[in-house]
mmCIF file of all heavy atoms in Angstrom:
data_model
loop_
_atom_site.group_PDB
_atom_site.id
_atom_site.type_symbol
_atom_site.label_atom_id
_atom_site.label_comp_id
_atom_site.label_asym_id
_atom_site.label_seq_id
_atom_site.Cartn_x
_atom_site.Cartn_y
_atom_site.Cartn_z
ATOM 1 N N ASN A 3 108.537 112.539 114.105
ATOM 2 C CA ASN A 3 108.150 112.775 112.717
ATOM 3 C C ASN A 3 109.348 112.463 111.835
ATOM 4 O O ASN A 3 110.242 113.281 111.709
ATOM 5 C CB ASN A 3 107.678 114.222 112.541
ATOM 6 C CG ASN A 3 107.227 114.506 111.124
ATOM 7 O OD1 ASN A 3 107.372 113.683 110.228
ATOM 8 N ND2 ASN A 3 106.672 115.671 110.919
ATOM 9 N N ASN A 4 109.384 111.282 111.265
ATOM 10 C CA ASN A 4 110.477 110.858 110.395
ATOM 11 C C ASN A 4 109.947 110.604 108.998
ATOM 12 O O ASN A 4 109.004 109.857 108.820
ATOM 13 C CB ASN A 4 111.100 109.559 110.928
ATOM 14 C CG ASN A 4 111.738 109.755 112.284
ATOM 15 O OD1 ASN A 4 112.411 110.748 112.513
ATOM 16 N ND2 ASN A 4 111.527 108.813 113.185
ATOM 17 N N THR A 5 110.561 111.230 107.991
ATOM 18 C CA THR A 5 110.175 111.011 106.607
ATOM 19 C C THR A 5 111.333 110.364 105.876
ATOM 20 O O THR A 5 112.474 110.806 106.002
ATOM 21 C CB THR A 5 109.788 112.334 105.926
ATOM 22 O OG1 THR A 5 108.669 112.889 106.616
ATOM 23 C CG2 THR A 5 109.410 112.117 104.474
ATOM 24 N N THR A 6 111.030 109.306 105.125
ATOM 25 C CA THR A 6 112.037 108.559 104.375
ATOM 26 C C THR A 6 111.573 108.430 102.931
ATOM 27 O O THR A 6 110.403 108.129 102.675
ATOM 28 C CB THR A 6 112.214 107.144 104.986
ATOM 29 O OG1 THR A 6 112.507 107.272 106.374
ATOM 30 C CG2 THR A 6 113.320 106.378 104.300
ATOM 31 N N ASN A 7 112.492 108.644 101.997
ATOM 32 C CA ASN A 7 112.186 108.399 100.581
ATOM 33 C C ASN A 7 112.094 106.903 100.349
ATOM 34 O O ASN A 7 112.941 106.138 100.844
ATOM 35 C CB ASN A 7 113.266 109.000 99.688
ATOM 36 C CG ASN A 7 113.245 110.517 99.709
ATOM 37 O OD1 ASN A 7 112.195 111.132 99.864
ATOM 38 N ND2 ASN A 7 114.401 111.121 99.564
ATOM 39 N N VAL A 8 111.090 106.472 99.598
ATOM 40 C CA VAL A 8 110.878 105.053 99.328
ATOM 41 C C VAL A 8 110.528 104.853 97.855
ATOM 42 O O VAL A 8 110.159 105.791 97.160
ATOM 43 C CB VAL A 8 109.748 104.459 100.209
ATOM 44 C CG1 VAL A 8 110.128 104.446 101.677
ATOM 45 C CG2 VAL A 8 108.430 105.195 100.011
ATOM 46 N N ASN A 9 110.656 103.621 97.413
ATOM 47 C CA ASN A 9 110.149 103.196 96.106
ATOM 48 C C ASN A 9 108.860 102.439 96.351
ATOM 49 O O ASN A 9 108.798 101.580 97.235
ATOM 50 C CB ASN A 9 111.166 102.295 95.401
ATOM 51 C CG ASN A 9 112.416 103.058 95.044
ATOM 52 O OD1 ASN A 9 112.366 104.157 94.534
ATOM 53 N ND2 ASN A 9 113.564 102.459 95.344
ATOM 54 N N VAL A 10 107.833 102.752 95.563
ATOM 55 C CA VAL A 10 106.511 102.162 95.754
ATOM 56 C C VAL A 10 106.147 101.345 94.518
ATOM 57 O O VAL A 10 106.265 101.823 93.390
ATOM 58 C CB VAL A 10 105.445 103.273 95.963
ATOM 59 C CG1 VAL A 10 104.059 102.662 96.091
ATOM 60 C CG2 VAL A 10 105.776 104.124 97.171
ATOM 61 N N ASP A 11 105.713 100.120 94.742
ATOM 62 C CA ASP A 11 105.177 99.267 93.679
ATOM 63 C C ASP A 11 103.766 98.874 94.080
ATOM 64 O O ASP A 11 103.563 98.252 95.120
ATOM 65 C CB ASP A 11 106.033 98.012 93.485
ATOM 66 C CG ASP A 11 107.379 98.338 92.875
ATOM 67 O OD1 ASP A 11 107.406 98.955 91.801
ATOM 68 O OD2 ASP A 11 108.404 97.990 93.497
ATOM 69 N N LEU A 12 102.808 99.244 93.234
ATOM 70 C CA LEU A 12 101.403 98.946 93.497
ATOM 71 C C LEU A 12 100.848 98.136 92.343
ATOM 72 O O LEU A 12 100.978 98.526 91.185
ATOM 73 C CB LEU A 12 100.601 100.243 93.659
ATOM 74 C CG LEU A 12 99.081 100.098 93.753
ATOM 75 C CD1 LEU A 12 98.677 99.270 94.960
ATOM 76 C CD2 LEU A 12 98.417 101.470 93.801
ATOM 77 N N ASN A 13 100.238 97.010 92.671
ATOM 78 C CA ASN A 13 99.527 96.186 91.689
ATOM 79 C C ASN A 13 98.067 96.126 92.130
ATOM 80 O O ASN A 13 97.775 95.771 93.265
ATOM 81 C CB ASN A 13 100.088 94.763 91.636
ATOM 82 C CG ASN A 13 101.457 94.719 91.006
ATOM 83 O OD1 ASN A 13 101.646 95.222 89.913
ATOM 84 N ND2 ASN A 13 102.410 94.135 91.700
ATOM 85 N N MET A 14 97.168 96.483 91.200
ATOM 86 C CA MET A 14 95.742 96.406 91.488
ATOM 87 C C MET A 14 95.070 95.522 90.461
ATOM 88 O O MET A 14 95.340 95.647 89.264
ATOM 89 C CB MET A 14 95.094 97.796 91.436
ATOM 90 C CG MET A 14 95.524 98.664 92.556
ATOM 91 S SD MET A 14 94.270 99.614 93.441
ATOM 92 C CE MET A 14 92.699 99.128 92.913
ATOM 93 N N SER A 15 94.219 94.648 90.938
ATOM 94 C CA SER A 15 93.371 93.834 90.076
ATOM 95 C C SER A 15 91.928 94.219 90.387
ATOM 96 O O SER A 15 91.533 94.265 91.549
ATOM 97 C CB SER A 15 93.564 92.347 90.347
ATOM 98 O OG SER A 15 94.889 91.975 90.080
ATOM 99 N N ILE A 16 91.180 94.513 89.329
ATOM 100 C CA ILE A 16 89.799 94.957 89.505
ATOM 101 C C ILE A 16 88.899 94.079 88.643
ATOM 102 O O ILE A 16 89.114 93.957 87.439
ATOM 103 C CB ILE A 16 89.637 96.427 89.084
ATOM 104 C CG1 ILE A 16 90.607 97.312 89.852
ATOM 105 C CG2 ILE A 16 88.187 96.880 89.256
ATOM 106 C CD1 ILE A 16 90.783 98.698 89.263
ATOM 107 N N PHE A 17 87.900 93.473 89.291
ATOM 108 C CA PHE A 17 86.892 92.712 88.559
ATOM 109 C C PHE A 17 85.618 93.525 88.616
ATOM 110 O O PHE A 17 85.033 93.732 89.675
ATOM 111 C CB PHE A 17 86.688 91.324 89.181
ATOM 112 C CG PHE A 17 85.742 90.475 88.387
ATOM 113 C CD1 PHE A 17 86.130 89.942 87.162
ATOM 114 C CD2 PHE A 17 84.470 90.207 88.856
ATOM 115 C CE1 PHE A 17 85.261 89.155 86.419
ATOM 116 C CE2 PHE A 17 83.592 89.425 88.117
ATOM 117 C CZ PHE A 17 83.992 88.896 86.898
ATOM 118 N N GLN A 18 85.216 94.053 87.435
ATOM 119 C CA GLN A 18 84.079 94.964 87.368
ATOM 120 C C GLN A 18 83.316 94.712 86.080
ATOM 121 O O GLN A 18 83.922 94.592 85.019
ATOM 122 C CB GLN A 18 84.623 96.393 87.400
ATOM 123 C CG GLN A 18 83.654 97.450 87.754
ATOM 124 C CD GLN A 18 84.369 98.783 87.975
ATOM 125 O OE1 GLN A 18 85.440 99.033 87.445
ATOM 126 N NE2 GLN A 18 83.755 99.638 88.761
ATOM 127 N N ALA A 19 82.002 94.605 86.191
ATOM 128 C CA ALA A 19 81.125 94.407 85.024
ATOM 129 C C ALA A 19 81.584 93.222 84.174
ATOM 130 O O ALA A 19 81.606 93.281 82.954
ATOM 131 C CB ALA A 19 81.056 95.677 84.179
ATOM 132 N N GLY A 20 81.999 92.132 84.830
ATOM 133 C CA GLY A 20 82.389 90.922 84.123
ATOM 134 C C GLY A 20 83.771 90.950 83.509
ATOM 135 O O GLY A 20 84.153 90.011 82.821
ATOM 136 N N GLU A 21 84.541 92.023 83.734
ATOM 137 C CA GLU A 21 85.874 92.134 83.152
ATOM 138 C C GLU A 21 86.929 92.340 84.224
ATOM 139 O O GLU A 21 86.697 93.045 85.204
ATOM 140 C CB GLU A 21 85.939 93.306 82.171
ATOM 141 C CG GLU A 21 85.144 93.076 80.913
ATOM 142 C CD GLU A 21 85.377 94.186 79.895
ATOM 143 O OE1 GLU A 21 86.427 94.850 79.951
ATOM 144 O OE2 GLU A 21 84.492 94.364 79.044
ATOM 145 N N MET A 22 88.111 91.740 84.004
ATOM 146 C CA MET A 22 89.241 91.897 84.909
ATOM 147 C C MET A 22 90.233 92.877 84.294
ATOM 148 O O MET A 22 90.586 92.751 83.129
ATOM 149 C CB MET A 22 89.919 90.543 85.133
ATOM 150 C CG MET A 22 91.102 90.599 86.066
ATOM 151 S SD MET A 22 90.660 90.882 87.789
ATOM 152 C CE MET A 22 90.154 89.255 88.277
ATOM 153 N N THR A 23 90.649 93.872 85.074
ATOM 154 C CA THR A 23 91.693 94.789 84.631
ATOM 155 C C THR A 23 92.804 94.803 85.669
ATOM 156 O O THR A 23 92.571 94.551 86.856
ATOM 157 C CB THR A 23 91.163 96.223 84.423
ATOM 158 O OG1 THR A 23 90.609 96.687 85.647
ATOM 159 C CG2 THR A 23 90.124 96.293 83.331
ATOM 160 N N HIS A 24 94.010 95.085 85.196
ATOM 161 C CA HIS A 24 95.177 95.139 86.079
ATOM 162 C C HIS A 24 95.867 96.483 85.892
ATOM 163 O O HIS A 24 95.992 96.972 84.770
ATOM 164 C CB HIS A 24 96.166 94.020 85.743
ATOM 165 C CG HIS A 24 95.585 92.656 85.905
ATOM 166 N ND1 HIS A 24 95.473 92.038 87.124
ATOM 167 C CD2 HIS A 24 95.075 91.794 84.997
ATOM 168 C CE1 HIS A 24 94.915 90.843 86.959
ATOM 169 N NE2 HIS A 24 94.658 90.676 85.676
ATOM 170 N N THR A 25 96.317 97.047 86.993
ATOM 171 C CA THR A 25 97.067 98.298 86.966
ATOM 172 C C THR A 25 98.342 98.098 87.759
ATOM 173 O O THR A 25 98.305 97.537 88.858
ATOM 174 C CB THR A 25 96.247 99.445 87.603
ATOM 175 O OG1 THR A 25 95.016 99.565 86.914
ATOM 176 C CG2 THR A 25 96.995 100.752 87.552
ATOM 177 N N LYS A 26 99.468 98.543 87.190
ATOM 178 C CA LYS A 26 100.748 98.487 87.895
ATOM 179 C C LYS A 26 101.311 99.891 87.968
ATOM 180 O O LYS A 26 101.331 100.603 86.965
ATOM 181 C CB LYS A 26 101.739 97.579 87.180
ATOM 182 C CG LYS A 26 101.386 96.124 87.265
ATOM 183 C CD LYS A 26 102.480 95.258 86.675
ATOM 184 C CE LYS A 26 102.090 93.795 86.841
ATOM 185 N NZ LYS A 26 103.189 92.904 86.606
ATOM 186 N N ILE A 27 101.744 100.275 89.147
ATOM 187 C CA ILE A 27 102.332 101.587 89.367
ATOM 188 C C ILE A 27 103.669 101.384 90.068
ATOM 189 O O ILE A 27 103.742 100.666 91.066
ATOM 190 C CB ILE A 27 101.410 102.459 90.252
ATOM 191 C CG1 ILE A 27 100.057 102.668 89.587
ATOM 192 C CG2 ILE A 27 102.083 103.790 90.581
ATOM 193 C CD1 ILE A 27 99.020 103.290 90.497
ATOM 194 N N SER A 28 104.718 102.000 89.555
ATOM 195 C CA SER A 28 106.021 102.026 90.216
ATOM 196 C C SER A 28 106.457 103.484 90.252
ATOM 197 O O SER A 28 106.691 104.084 89.201
ATOM 198 C CB SER A 28 107.051 101.192 89.456
ATOM 199 O OG SER A 28 106.747 99.828 89.550
ATOM 200 N N GLU A 29 106.503 104.050 91.447
ATOM 201 C CA GLU A 29 106.787 105.475 91.606
ATOM 202 C C GLU A 29 107.623 105.697 92.867
ATOM 203 O O GLU A 29 107.560 104.910 93.805
ATOM 204 C CB GLU A 29 105.482 106.282 91.745
ATOM 205 C CG GLU A 29 104.542 106.209 90.577
ATOM 206 C CD GLU A 29 104.963 107.089 89.408
ATOM 207 O OE1 GLU A 29 105.910 107.891 89.557
ATOM 208 O OE2 GLU A 29 104.332 106.966 88.339
ATOM 209 N N PRO A 30 108.358 106.810 92.910
ATOM 210 C CA PRO A 30 108.994 107.187 94.171
ATOM 211 C C PRO A 30 107.934 107.745 95.112
ATOM 212 O O PRO A 30 106.900 108.255 94.664
ATOM 213 C CB PRO A 30 109.990 108.276 93.753
ATOM 214 C CG PRO A 30 109.428 108.844 92.494
ATOM 215 C CD PRO A 30 108.679 107.720 91.819
ATOM 216 N N GLY A 31 108.189 107.623 96.406
ATOM 217 C CA GLY A 31 107.244 108.133 97.379
ATOM 218 C C GLY A 31 107.936 108.520 98.662
ATOM 219 O O GLY A 31 109.164 108.491 98.760
ATOM 220 N N LYS A 32 107.140 108.884 99.644
ATOM 221 C CA LYS A 32 107.658 109.261 100.955
ATOM 222 C C LYS A 32 106.864 108.526 102.025
ATOM 223 O O LYS A 32 105.640 108.486 101.988
ATOM 224 C CB LYS A 32 107.545 110.758 101.175
ATOM 225 C CG LYS A 32 108.422 111.566 100.225
ATOM 226 C CD LYS A 32 108.532 113.002 100.660
ATOM 227 C CE LYS A 32 109.443 113.789 99.747
ATOM 228 N NZ LYS A 32 110.802 113.343 99.694
ATOM 229 N N PHE A 33 107.594 107.953 102.977
ATOM 230 C CA PHE A 33 106.992 107.271 104.125
ATOM 231 C C PHE A 33 107.258 108.134 105.354
ATOM 232 O O PHE A 33 108.393 108.553 105.589
ATOM 233 C CB PHE A 33 107.620 105.886 104.307
ATOM 234 C CG PHE A 33 107.103 105.157 105.517
ATOM 235 C CD1 PHE A 33 105.933 104.428 105.457
ATOM 236 C CD2 PHE A 33 107.789 105.220 106.721
ATOM 237 C CE1 PHE A 33 105.448 103.758 106.571
ATOM 238 C CE2 PHE A 33 107.314 104.552 107.849
ATOM 239 C CZ PHE A 33 106.146 103.825 107.770
ATOM 240 N N THR A 34 106.208 108.411 106.123
ATOM 241 C CA THR A 34 106.339 109.232 107.325
ATOM 242 C C THR A 34 105.663 108.532 108.489
ATOM 243 O O THR A 34 104.535 108.038 108.351
ATOM 244 C CB THR A 34 105.674 110.616 107.125
ATOM 245 O OG1 THR A 34 106.236 111.239 105.975
ATOM 246 C CG2 THR A 34 105.883 111.508 108.331
ATOM 247 N N ARG A 35 106.342 108.509 109.613
ATOM 248 C CA ARG A 35 105.722 108.039 110.857
ATOM 249 C C ARG A 35 105.469 109.290 111.679
ATOM 250 O O ARG A 35 106.391 110.048 111.976
ATOM 251 C CB ARG A 35 106.652 107.087 111.587
ATOM 252 C CG ARG A 35 106.059 106.606 112.892
ATOM 253 C CD ARG A 35 106.684 105.316 113.359
ATOM 254 N NE ARG A 35 106.183 104.229 112.513
ATOM 255 C CZ ARG A 35 106.896 103.163 112.207
ATOM 256 N NH1 ARG A 35 108.116 103.015 112.648
ATOM 257 N NH2 ARG A 35 106.375 102.224 111.436
ATOM 258 N N MET A 36 104.189 109.534 111.993
ATOM 259 C CA MET A 36 103.822 110.711 112.763
ATOM 260 C C MET A 36 102.915 110.257 113.896
ATOM 261 O O MET A 36 101.814 109.749 113.655
ATOM 262 C CB MET A 36 103.096 111.723 111.864
ATOM 263 C CG MET A 36 103.206 113.114 112.363
ATOM 264 S SD MET A 36 102.632 114.441 111.265
ATOM 265 C CE MET A 36 102.132 113.704 109.773
ATOM 266 N N GLY A 37 103.395 110.429 115.102
ATOM 267 C CA GLY A 37 102.632 109.946 116.250
ATOM 268 C C GLY A 37 102.505 108.435 116.174
ATOM 269 O O GLY A 37 103.502 107.733 116.024
ATOM 270 N N ASN A 38 101.276 107.928 116.225
ATOM 271 C CA ASN A 38 101.029 106.481 116.166
ATOM 272 C C ASN A 38 100.550 106.017 114.799
ATOM 273 O O ASN A 38 100.066 104.899 114.663
ATOM 274 C CB ASN A 38 99.995 106.076 117.228
ATOM 275 C CG ASN A 38 100.537 106.271 118.628
ATOM 276 O OD1 ASN A 38 101.718 106.073 118.873
ATOM 277 N ND2 ASN A 38 99.676 106.681 119.537
ATOM 278 N N ALA A 39 100.661 106.882 113.795
ATOM 279 C CA ALA A 39 100.186 106.524 112.455
ATOM 280 C C ALA A 39 101.343 106.563 111.457
ATOM 281 O O ALA A 39 102.317 107.290 111.636
ATOM 282 C CB ALA A 39 99.080 107.469 112.010
ATOM 283 N N ASP A 40 101.213 105.764 110.406
ATOM 284 C CA ASP A 40 102.169 105.738 109.311
ATOM 285 C C ASP A 40 101.478 106.283 108.063
ATOM 286 O O ASP A 40 100.298 105.993 107.825
ATOM 287 C CB ASP A 40 102.649 104.313 109.027
ATOM 288 C CG ASP A 40 103.470 103.740 110.167
ATOM 289 O OD1 ASP A 40 104.227 104.508 110.805
ATOM 290 O OD2 ASP A 40 103.366 102.527 110.417
#
Side-chain angles (χ1 to χ4, degrees):
N3 182 353
N4 296 317
T5 299
T6 306
N7 291 328
V8 294
N9 294 315
V10 177
D11 290 305
L12 172 61
N13 289 307
M14 291 225 8
S15 298
I16 304 165
F17 185 72
Q18 198 171 26
E21 290 187 24
M22 180 71 79
T23 58
H24 299 280
T25 303
K26 290 186 178 194
I27 299 169
S28 291
E29 299 282 351
K32 295 193 178 298
F33 177 85
T34 304
R35 179 158 286 148
M36 205 170 357
N38 294 325
D40 293 324

